Amino acid sequence: TFESVHRQSPGELWLKERIAAFDAGNRRKRKEVLEEFLEFVKSSSLFGMEELFSQEAHLFLVRLTSWFSVMLPLLYELPLQLKVFLVFLEFREASIVRNFFESGTVVALMRALATDFDVPDDVRCLAVLVLHRLVLHGRTYKEVLCSKGLISYLVECIGRLEVGN
């Protein structure tokens, strides 16, 4: 029936509430929402963001990728944000991966690797892990990242880490 098709799952309802809190919240509240999200996904037995949260997953990811780009220069809770990205990418859903490219988040991730951008090494490592997960989605994504200068960013980042040790 029409009603059963439009009934929202418990995960979808849960995330819808968190999105509202994220939208209305300050930095501290947003951090709390991200921590709750990680715990919820960790305790879930489902096998994908879309399965768990339906369309709400994409709505949340759009907010997260935008917030990451804004918070990157401020260095606010970057490890937490990158861990959430890794959880999104864990399920290898094509639409999720596409979002990282279409939103421009891959450019912000590569910028975090640049030596002229003073982020902690743990953030650089997590950014490399996120980019690695994106590269695993096929040749097209590898080519796009390489055309955006990923290799030079990685070389620069590795050189910085070697000098730092």
Side-chain angles (χ1 to χ4, degrees), residues 110 113 143-155:
M110 289 189 296
L113 303 179
E143 289 174 355
V144 168
L145 287 170
C146 287
S147 74
K148 297 290 182 193
L150 177 61
I151 302 301
S152 60
Y153 279 112
L154 287 171
V155 168

Side-chain angles (χ1 to χ4, degrees), residues 21 40 59 69 102 107 154:
F40 188 87
L59 296 174
S69 295
E102 292 172 354
V107 175
L154 287 171

Side-chain angles (χ1 to χ4, degrees), residues 115 121 124 154-165:
T115 55
D121 288 343
R124 283 190 171 85
L154 287 171
V155 168
E156 186 178 339
C157 178
I158 291 167
R160 181 186 187 286
L161 292 173
E162 287 178 352
V163 170
N165 287 334

Side-chain angles (χ1 to χ4, degrees), residues 89 96-98 100-101 105-106 109 127-138 141-142 145:
L89 292 168
I96 300 288
V97 172
R98 224 177 11 260
F100 280 89
F101 286 87
T105 305
V106 292
L109 288 165
V128 167
L129 288 174
V130 172
L131 289 163
H132 180 256
R133 289 238 177 115
L134 291 168
V135 167
L136 292 175
H137 286 273
Y141 294 115
K142 288 177 192 173
L145 287 170

Side-chain angles (χ1 to χ4, degrees), residues 68 71-76 78-79 82 108-128 157 160-161:
F68 178 76
M71 291 295 109
L72 182 59
L74 303 175
L75 305 177
Y76 183 75
L78 297 178
L82 291 165
L109 288 165
M110 289 189 296
R111 189 166 170 233
L113 303 179
T115 55
D116 63 343
F117 205 75
D118 195 26
V119 298
D121 288 343
D122 65 325
V123 170
R124 283 190 171 85
C125 290
L126 286 167
V128 167
C157 178
R160 181 186 187 286
L161 292 173

